Amino acid sequence: MDWFKSSKKVLSLIVVIAFTLSLVIPVFVSSSSTAYAKSTPTLTYFVRLDPKVATSYNSYSSIAAYQILQKKLGVKLVFKHPPVGGETDQFNLMIASRQLTDIIEWNWIDNYPGGPVKAMLDKVIIRLNDYLPKHAPNLNKYLQQHPDIKKLIVTDDGDIYGFPVLRGNNPKIACVYYGPQIRNDWLKKLGLKEPETVDDWYKVLKAFVTKDPNGNGKKDERGFSILRNASNPRYAFDYSSFLVGAWGIKTDFFQVNGKVKYGPLEPQYKQFIATLQKWWKEGLIDPDILTMNQKVIKANVQNDVIGSWIGLLSGDMGFFLNLKKDIIATKFPVLKKGEYPLLGQAEFLFARISAAITTACKNIPLAMKVLDWGYSKEGYETFNFGVLGKSYIKKDGKIYYTDEILKNPQGLSPAEALAKYARASINGPFAQADEFYYQIQMKYPQQKDAVEKWGQVKNDRILPPLSFTDDEAKRLANIMNTVNTYYDEMFLRLMTGKATNVDAFVKTLKQMKINEAIKIYQQAYDRWKKRK
Amino acid sequence: MEKAATKHFQPSRWQELKKDLIRNKSLYIMLIPVVAYYFIFHYIPMYGLQIAFKDFTPAKGIWGSPWVGLEKFKEFFVYDSFYVWRIIRNTILINVYDLIFGFPAPIIFALLLNEIKNSIYKRTLQTVSYMPHFISTVVIVGMIMDFFSRDGLINQILKSLGILSEPISFMTEPGWFRPLYVGSGIWQNLGWGSIVYLAAISNIDPQLYEAALIDGAGRFRQALYVTIPGILPTIVIMFLLRVGHMMNVGFEKVFLMYNPLTYETADVISTYVYRKGLLEMDYSYGAAVGLFNSVINFLLVVFSNKIAKKLTETSLW
């Protein structure tokens, strides 16, 4: 039994080692952790990891701005980033399991069922009003100076639930970043003018797919595609109102003269769908938008296969301009030449995202202090520009980004390079500087032109961030879950011509009680109008 | 009289158990982790099932949430009636197809493998057939999407053979969802599933084959009259276990494969519950539908077990 004996020896050796380690390790661990706890308090912070940061770091704690913050305020921030693509799942699991972090940065209006009011009722996040004057003087002052923004971020009862992500001062620049883009060289080659009306668009797209503008001798051109939200084209139209806005309606909820409406129920919706069907039937729309593959679409734009698309100002347009593609933005289409577009992509200065403090937070004043720093002068500069001398310089009282940001030696885009130092290229709880938009988002003249063109919409039919009561939210979730599943499916079927009967579609929506949902929206909107 | 007899019998049963416990001590110790696993991960969570009858909010906890009776079931069957029948139909149809085409496939594969006499060739074939089983679902679906996309391999082959002029977009045609789902499942599980049947075949007494041979049976007849009856009990048990999952379709794979255009044939109970229960945070609703699902599964097992007992004298209990 030699084997048995030797294995016994090994076993006893393991036991001895394990025993010794068990004596030593806790000493190390506990001593270091208690030492930490005494000197620097810790806050946990749930926020999605932006891909622009992910190219350099795997946590926001590595961003220079946060290192400055932690040093200045004597606090340690532990970021919890959900896996990319699984943000909603992870968030919902966190809420369900009650393993809340101290701070959660989230779109409480759209991505928490029932909205912020419900989140407070569910005891997920806390009401901040009582803490605000004492522990967040900077935000408090900002809100007093900007009552219009305060109206956007509070609930109907005047509750403040989070530190808002603000887009700066100039809505004409700051809130415009998504819209139609087109190949200028293709237009020139075919002797076409930049499309303005829906009919122009049809003619341009038709010429694109029939006349071989990329000159490879093959009929491989696709007229129009969608870059963001490619997996569900309806969202792209919901979000930017491209095309559908020409008829003065949206694909989902909007209002006209104080009356809430729902796109599919409007008579104009039929014309929009008919146009879309025509485009699809004649092969003007990229079929890849059905197979949820954004990467393929982007590669096809790069390979000169796609002529026009809706995309982002910096992420898409900037990317292609960097590759020396000759592209320009166009205005949102209208029905008659010279008309002013009624609807386009529209955002409010408040980006609907807020950093809220949870009920799990043990040190609320500290969390308030950390989040409030972003609205101070110092925090504003750090979050927007990063580190003085490294990522920005001051000249004649003005601030400029350095060449490291604008012409990054490692080949990062300006937004990516800035993400190493500041949070300006990612939405964050602070007020964004206009300089960021001018110097980074609009690096190329075509981008300046894009903002100019996309900004030319009225957008007064867009609904502001509404808040619903608990009962309203429940009923709404009930109706809209049913409606949205059906609508997602039907939108694609209508677009591709597999279904043609809009009336039947509307009839089913009514059976699903869409009118009740509209009524709930109307009530919430009426309350919003009464907000002070 | 009978009552008295059982009363008298019971202590001796206990004693027998005690004796058995002592005699097979190590076996019972080995059983502990398994029992503990089922207890901790399958029985304790059943406590949470009550939220199916409550209006659960995390703030109030399981205890604090008010009872609502069958409200959540009503919500599923009455308010959501637009989808209920569709998702139940899809769930059952996918399973039925899987049962018709997927269940016999490993058996046939095992029978065919059994006929191969060259052992090196046989083993290579077997190993190759296992491989897809070890690829994760995410990768499998990625491969399906690449192969079956509009300009993917399959379309290109069909085009170059002149079968098609226009590419088929497999992933967005509701009609293609089930064949793709079931077909890829067969490809994935063929080899792995055949192991248990191969083991059963190797247990068949060789004398039976000799006897069949003497009686003049060829290889086909040997398979028909010796091999298949020999593995029939295994087939029946496997079938019963399979039926117990009739209402469960792999959530992961459907979720990765479907899109709004294929909801019509692809949306199943588990994906609907995911959208409603987790994304809309209606946990009670999710629990209610899950419970309904489990009850159906349970009934299916009991029912098919009974039938199997009658027909083949093999059953789970």
Side-chain angles (χ1 to χ4, degrees), chain A residues 89 92 122 482 486 489 493, chain B residues 59 83 86 264 274 278 281:
Chain A
D89 294 11
N92 290 354
D122 284 350
T482 313
Y486 178 65
E489 192 179 325
R493 292 170 61 89
Chain B
Y83 301 117
R86 181 169 90 179
E264 192 188 330
Y274 165 79
L278 196 59
M281 288 192 189

Side-chain angles (χ1 to χ4, degrees), chain B residues 32 35 84 118 130 132 157 160 176 191 203 243 288 290 293-294 306 316:
Chain B
I32 288 174
V35 174
V84 178
N118 181 338
Y130 293 167
I157 291 174
S160 65
W176 278 105
N203 263 339
V243 168
N293 212 6
S294 304
K306 222 169 211 165
L316 284 172

Side-chain angles (χ1 to χ4, degrees), chain A residues 88-89 91-92 96 98 113 122 287 290-292 474 477-478 481-482 485-486 488-489 492-493 511-512, chain B residues 55 58-59 75 80 82-83 86 150 172-173 258-261 263-264 274-276 278-281 283:
Chain A
T88 310
D89 294 11
F91 174 81
N92 290 354
R98 299 255 110 194
D122 284 350
L290 295 183
T291 44
M292 58 180 105
K474 240 183 219 159
N478 233 317
N481 183 58
T482 313
T485 302
Y486 178 65
D488 283 351
E489 192 179 325
L492 291 180
R493 292 170 61 89
Q511 278 168 6
M512 292 174 168
Chain B
D55 187 16
E75 208 174 291
D80 285 354
F82 294 102
Y83 301 117
R86 181 169 90 179
R150 276 177 49 93
T172 55
E173 282 288 341
Y258 80 165
N259 59 50
L261 262 184
Y263 276 174
E264 192 188 330
Y274 165 79
R275 287 204 307 275
K276 182 119 184 177
L278 196 59
L279 292 186
E280 299 282 329
M281 288 192 189
Y283 306 109

